[in-house]
Amino acid sequence: MKHIITAAALALTAVAASAGPTCTAPKDSWKPEAQFQQELKDQGYSIRNFKVTKGQCYEIYGTDKTGKKVEIYFDPATGRAIESK
Protein backbone atom coordinates (compact mmCIF):
# COMPACT_ATOMS: atom_id res chain seq x y z
CA MET A 1 0.00 0.00 0.00
CA LYS A 2 2.85 2.38 0.84
CA HIS A 3 4.28 1.91 -2.68
CA ILE A 4 0.95 2.77 -4.28
CA ILE A 5 0.67 6.00 -2.28
CA THR A 6 4.27 6.94 -3.13
CA ALA A 7 3.69 6.25 -6.82
CA ALA A 8 0.51 8.33 -6.82
CA ALA A 9 2.28 11.23 -5.10
CA LEU A 10 5.12 11.12 -7.62
CA ALA A 11 2.65 11.06 -10.53
CA LEU A 12 0.83 14.11 -9.17
CA THR A 13 4.13 15.92 -8.68
CA ALA A 14 5.11 15.19 -12.29
CA VAL A 15 1.79 16.55 -13.56
CA ALA A 16 2.14 19.70 -11.48
CA ALA A 17 5.72 20.20 -12.66
CA SER A 18 4.69 19.97 -16.32
CA ALA A 19 1.86 22.46 -15.91
CA GLY A 20 2.42 25.88 -17.40
CA PRO A 21 2.36 29.24 -15.67
CA THR A 22 -0.70 30.85 -14.13
CA CYS A 23 -2.01 34.20 -15.34
CA THR A 24 -4.18 36.26 -13.02
CA ALA A 25 -5.52 39.14 -15.15
CA PRO A 26 -9.31 39.40 -15.18
CA LYS A 27 -10.83 38.15 -18.42
CA ASP A 28 -12.35 41.53 -19.26
CA SER A 29 -8.81 42.95 -19.57
CA TRP A 30 -7.57 40.28 -22.01
CA LYS A 31 -6.64 41.14 -25.59
CA PRO A 32 -9.12 39.49 -27.96
CA GLU A 33 -7.73 36.16 -29.19
CA ALA A 34 -7.99 37.05 -32.89
CA GLN A 35 -6.27 40.40 -32.37
CA PHE A 36 -3.47 38.83 -30.34
CA GLN A 37 -2.90 36.08 -32.90
CA GLN A 38 -2.68 38.68 -35.65
CA GLU A 39 -0.12 40.66 -33.64
CA LEU A 40 2.00 37.51 -33.34
CA LYS A 41 1.70 36.80 -37.06
CA ASP A 42 2.75 40.40 -37.77
CA GLN A 43 5.88 39.68 -35.68
CA GLY A 44 6.68 36.68 -37.90
CA TYR A 45 5.23 33.81 -35.90
CA SER A 46 3.43 30.98 -37.64
CA ILE A 47 0.81 29.57 -35.26
CA ARG A 48 0.03 25.86 -35.52
CA ASN A 49 -2.03 25.73 -32.32
CA PHE A 50 -3.38 28.49 -30.06
CA LYS A 51 -5.16 27.87 -26.77
CA VAL A 52 -6.07 29.24 -23.39
CA THR A 53 -4.36 27.10 -20.75
CA LYS A 54 -5.81 25.81 -17.50
CA GLY A 55 -3.70 28.52 -15.85
CA GLN A 56 -5.58 31.17 -17.86
CA CYS A 57 -2.66 32.13 -20.15
CA TYR A 58 -2.51 32.23 -23.93
CA GLU A 59 -0.24 29.51 -25.33
CA ILE A 60 1.00 29.01 -28.86
CA TYR A 61 2.75 26.19 -30.66
CA GLY A 62 4.31 27.07 -33.96
CA THR A 63 7.44 28.62 -35.41
CA ASP A 64 9.18 31.96 -35.08
CA LYS A 65 10.32 34.13 -38.00
CA THR A 66 13.47 32.02 -38.40
CA GLY A 67 11.47 28.79 -38.63
CA LYS A 68 12.45 27.58 -35.15
CA LYS A 69 9.73 25.60 -33.33
CA VAL A 70 8.31 27.44 -30.33
CA GLU A 71 5.96 26.83 -27.42
CA ILE A 72 5.28 30.13 -25.67
CA TYR A 73 2.96 31.19 -22.86
CA PHE A 74 1.71 34.77 -22.87
CA ASP A 75 -0.05 37.01 -20.39
CA PRO A 76 -3.43 37.47 -22.11
CA ALA A 77 -3.85 41.06 -20.90
CA THR A 78 -0.43 42.47 -21.78
CA GLY A 79 0.66 40.06 -24.50
CA ARG A 80 4.02 39.69 -22.75
CA ALA A 81 5.76 36.32 -23.17
CA ILE A 82 6.08 34.79 -19.70
CA GLU A 83 7.54 31.38 -20.46
CA SER A 84 8.85 29.50 -23.45
CA LYS A 85 9.97 25.94 -23.99
Side-chain angles (χ1 to χ4, degrees):
M1 185 67 170
K2 185 177 180 182
H3 294 290
I4 293 172
I5 293 171
T6 301
L10 288 173
L12 288 174
T13 301
V15 169
S18 67
T22 300
C23 297
T24 58
K27 266 199 164 178
D28 62 352
S29 69
W30 290 15
K31 290 185 175 202
E33 290 181 25
Q35 174 190 336
F36 183 66
Q37 288 181 56
Q38 186 59 53
E39 290 174 7
L40 292 175
K41 290 176 184 176
D42 292 345
Q43 295 173 33
Y45 288 95
S46 174
I47 301 170
R48 182 174 36 87
N49 189 12
F50 177 92
K51 68 180 186 176
V52 176
T53 67
K54 289 181 181 179
Q56 298 300 298
C57 299
Y58 285 159
E59 180 183 19
I60 67 159
Y61 294 88
T63 57
D64 65 13
K65 62 183 172 185
T66 66
K68 179 183 172 192
K69 287 185 179 182
V70 295
E71 176 185 351
I72 308 173
Y73 296 87
F74 296 91
D75 180 297
T78 65
R80 182 179 62 85
I82 54 176
E83 185 177 313
S84 63
K85 296 182 180 180

